Amino acid sequence: MANPSCKAAKLQALSGLFAVYKPKGPTSADVLNKLKRRLLEEAGMEQASKKRKKQPLKMGHGGTLDSAASGVLVVGIGKGTKMLSEMLTGSKKYTALGELGKATDTLDATGKITEEKPYDHIKMEDIDGVLKKFTGTVMQVPPLYSALKKDGQRLSKLVKKGEIVEAKPARPVTVYSLTLQDFQPPVFTLDVECGGGFYVRSLVDDIGKELSCCAHVKELTRTKHGPFTLQEHILKEEQWTIDEIANSIEQCLQFLPAEPSCKKLKTDVEECPETKVIHSENGKITLSEDK
């Protein structure tokens, strides 16, 4: 069993990107904080207070996933946090279950029902026929319940406080592909590949309106974010260990682009204190020992 100082050295040497599974319920920040606590505990390190400027472990995630949603959450650690901005603008894939006939204030199943309309007249070909209008570069109004901010505060928090919040103006977003996979009234299943800043909740709401009905997201799963997929790359909670993350970072380097600010990405080796350094220069990866 490795001693605490060795574990701490391994943890602080980690630098790069990996992906974890976010379940329904917790926020993306909740998942990140739980992961950080788990790693610090394994390394025998204390978690710094929020007031402390210098944190013992630098971590961040590559894009908020709604608390009601599940799936891929990309995490940056060490210098890997500098690569997260690219993740925010990168492509994502989702599987969404939309429910016709009911609209909610949050545009998903967690909200209060604000409107109900009949949906018996809607056929599978009707849904399929409107999807072309939402493919390509389209204008989209973000939902009020979102991570977008006004005066430094999230819109969702302002709305929950009862404050009057105006919707953000429509903005251009990109949908690379949008396909209807199934329709079992009133629930339809969509596969969506989109760019950064896109809201699947707004999409489903807009589809409902286009069908002269209303709709909300019943279930949402992020299946891919950048090169990270739900099937191949995520670490589930039982895999949240220093060694598992080190292995994941090393494997993921094979399909990540070279980043000028992250040319030297570190993982650890079985022996301490020597640390294996993975150099990613111009897309080429070489291994060496950091003496």
Side-chain angles (χ1 to χ4, degrees), residues 7 25 28 33 80 82 85 90 93 113 123-124 130 132 190 198 240 247 265 272 286 290:
K7 281 284 188 180
S28 298
N33 289 332
K82 295 180 180 179
S85 58
K93 286 186 178 181
I113 296 174
K123 308 298 181 185
M124 189 167 186
V130 303
K132 291 180 182 179
L190 299 173
F198 184 84
W240 291 358
N247 290 335
L265 301 179
C272 187
T286 58
D290 188 21

Side-chain angles (χ1 to χ4, degrees), residues 31-47:
V31 172
L32 188 69
N33 289 332
K34 187 174 185 178
L35 172 62
K36 185 183 289 188
R37 287 195 300 271
R38 183 77 62 84
L39 295 176
L40 289 172
E41 186 177 310
E42 182 187 351
M45 299 169 64
E46 291 186 9
Q47 181 153 358

Side-chain angles (χ1 to χ4, degrees), residues 186-259:
V187 177
F188 58 97
T189 303
L190 299 173
D191 276 349
V192 187
E193 183 175 6
C194 56
F198 184 84
Y199 284 90
V200 178
R201 286 180 290 141
S202 292
L203 168 69
V204 170
D205 181 63
D206 289 340
I207 288 174
K209 292 174 180 175
E210 190 67 28
L211 293 165
S212 299
C213 186
C214 55
H216 69 276
V217 171
K218 185 177 182 180
E219 192 173 315
L220 181 64
T221 304
R222 184 189 283 165
T223 58
K224 190 173 185 287
H225 189 173
F228 297 92
T229 66
L230 186 63
Q231 295 80 11
E232 298 179 15
H233 305 117
I234 60 163
L235 296 177
K236 294 190 175 180
E237 193 171 332
E238 59 269 21
Q239 298 172 293
W240 291 358
T241 67
I242 295 171
D243 288 339
E244 285 278 9
I245 289 172
N247 290 335
S248 183
I249 290 173
E250 185 172 341
Q251 292 170 10
C252 292
L253 275 172
Q254 299 173 24
F255 53 76
L256 287 173
E259 284 288 322

Side-chain angles (χ1 to χ4, degrees), residues 5-280:
S5 61
C6 183
K7 281 284 188 180
K10 287 183 176 183
L11 176 59
Q12 291 180 317
L14 292 179
S15 191
L17 296 177
F18 60 99
V20 299
Y21 176 74
K22 182 205 160 310
K24 295 179 187 177
T27 65
S28 298
D30 290 337
V31 172
L32 188 69
N33 289 332
K34 187 174 185 178
L35 172 62
K36 185 183 289 188
R37 287 195 300 271
R38 183 77 62 84
L39 295 176
L40 289 172
E41 186 177 310
E42 182 187 351
M45 299 169 64
E46 291 186 9
Q47 181 153 358
S49 64
K50 292 182 179 180
K51 294 181 180 179
R52 184 176 168 183
K53 290 184 179 181
K54 188 173 178 60
Q55 296 292 320
L57 185 59
K58 189 176 182 181
M59 291 180 70
H61 65 73
T64 300
L65 191 56
D66 292 341
S67 57
S70 63
V72 179
L73 184 67
V74 177
V75 177
I77 187 169
K79 291 182 179 179
T81 56
K82 295 180 180 179
M83 300 174 70
L84 291 174
S85 58
E86 184 174 331
M87 287 289 112
L88 287 168
T89 57
S91 69
K92 306 172 184 70
K93 286 186 178 181
Y94 296 91
T95 296
L97 270 62
E99 182 175 346
L100 291 168
K102 294 177 182 178
T104 70
D105 54 0
T106 60
L107 310 188
D108 64 15
T110 66
K112 296 178 182 178
I113 296 174
T114 58
E115 186 180 19
E116 293 189 59
K117 285 187 176 183
Y119 57 83
D120 298 358
H121 62 287
I122 299 174
K123 308 298 181 185
M124 189 167 186
E125 53 267 29
D126 296 324
I127 302 175
D128 201 38
V130 303
L131 296 187
K132 291 180 182 179
K133 296 183 179 181
F134 300 100
T135 306
T137 299
V138 296
M139 299 301 290
Q140 185 185 69
V141 177
L144 285 178
Y145 285 83
S146 70
L148 297 178
K149 294 183 178 181
K150 177 187 178 184
D151 300 327
Q153 294 191 62
R154 289 192 175 191
L155 294 182
S156 56
K157 288 188 176 181
L158 294 174
V159 174
K160 288 176 182 178
K161 288 179 182 178
E163 296 187 24
I164 298 175
V165 179
E166 291 185 7
K168 290 281 186 178
R171 57 186 186 175
V173 292
T174 303
V175 179
Y176 300 108
S177 66
L178 178 58
T179 55
L180 178 63
Q181 297 299 320
D182 190 29
F183 182 40
Q184 300 292 329
V187 177
F188 58 97
T189 303
L190 299 173
D191 276 349
V192 187
E193 183 175 6
C194 56
F198 184 84
Y199 284 90
V200 178
R201 286 180 290 141
S202 292
L203 168 69
V204 170
D205 181 63
D206 289 340
I207 288 174
K209 292 174 180 175
E210 190 67 28
L211 293 165
S212 299
C213 186
C214 55
H216 69 276
V217 171
K218 185 177 182 180
E219 192 173 315
L220 181 64
T221 304
R222 184 189 283 165
T223 58
K224 190 173 185 287
H225 189 173
F228 297 92
T229 66
L230 186 63
Q231 295 80 11
E232 298 179 15
H233 305 117
I234 60 163
L235 296 177
K236 294 190 175 180
E237 193 171 332
E238 59 269 21
Q239 298 172 293
W240 291 358
T241 67
I242 295 171
D243 288 339
E244 285 278 9
I245 289 172
N247 290 335
S248 183
I249 290 173
E250 185 172 341
Q251 292 170 10
C252 292
L253 275 172
Q254 299 173 24
F255 53 76
L256 287 173
E259 284 288 322
S261 59
C262 278
K263 287 186 178 180
K264 183 182 282 189
L265 301 179
K266 298 182 181 180
T267 63
D268 71 67
V269 286
E270 295 176 1
E271 297 190 13
C272 187
E274 291 183 348
T275 302
K276 182 189 294 183
V277 179
I278 299 180
H279 301 277
S280 179

